[in-house]
Amino acid sequence: MLIAVILTLAVGTYAFRLSGVVLRDRLTLPDRVHRLLPMAAAALLAALAVTAALTEAGAFAGFARPTGVLVGAALAWRRAPFIAVVVAAAGTAALLRLLGIP
């Protein structure tokens, strides 16, 4: 049963992604929708990042993780190297948890 679910999800995901490639030239979107699509993708990614940073199992994740994400976002905004962004964000969250801040 589990294998059938995994295969069904794999086929569905592949078909969904393939439909974008196949239908790209066949669909004509209004200009307004065409202009809004990049912003919609950015908004969706931002919403996913915020949800992942602030919640854990449906509850507030604590202050350490969002603080680490903010440190990482600030360093990414300042165009720091990727490894520095990851290490600083993880280090900030770990240090705060070590200090007893959840």
Side-chain angles (χ1 to χ4, degrees):
M1 179 67 179
L2 181 62
I3 296 297
V5 171
I6 291 172
L7 289 175
T8 302
L9 289 174
V11 169
T13 301
Y14 185 77
F16 186 73
R17 290 179 179 211
L18 185 63
S19 68
V21 175
V22 171
L23 297 176
R24 180 178 177 190
D25 294 333
R26 295 181 183 179
L27 285 176
T28 304
L29 298 175
D31 287 341
R32 184 172 182 200
V33 173
H34 199 64
R35 284 189 313 240
L36 291 176
L37 279 177
M39 288 188 277
L44 179 63
L45 287 175
L48 287 171
V50 168
T51 302
L54 295 178
T55 62
E56 182 173 333
F60 182 59
F63 292 101
R65 187 187 306 170
T67 304
V69 170
L70 286 176
V71 168
L75 289 175
W77 181 56
R78 301 291 301 171
R79 299 189 184 272
F82 178 72
I83 190 69
V85 171
V86 171
V87 169
T92 301
L95 181 64
L96 289 175
R97 288 180 180 151
L98 184 67
L99 295 173
I101 298 172

